[in-house]
Amino acid sequence: MEIFYFLIGILLLTAGIIDFLWTTLWVDGGAGPITDRLATFTWKSLK
């Protein structure tokens, strides 16, 4: 079971780093895929 949590942790860490780099370094100023979906979901739920 420990290996499962380790792999999930690595997956989440990798996704977070990719989203962070995508959001900060993208030339067009767009958000990363996770950030974009989270922001869209938040705005729709608050509307």
Side-chain angles (χ1 to χ4, degrees):
M1 193 67 168
E2 291 178 13
I3 191 76
F4 175 72
Y5 290 134
F6 177 74
L7 291 175
I8 292 296
I10 293 295
L11 180 70
L12 288 173
L13 206 59
T14 303
I17 290 171
I18 289 172
D19 191 66
F20 170 75
L21 290 174
W22 189 319
T23 301
T24 56
L25 299 178
W26 198 258
V27 177
D28 296 333
I34 298 170
T35 304
D36 189 36
R37 288 185 181 114
L38 183 63
T40 301
F41 172 75
T42 303
W43 281 110
K44 285 184 179 181
S45 65
L46 290 175
K47 245 180 162 177

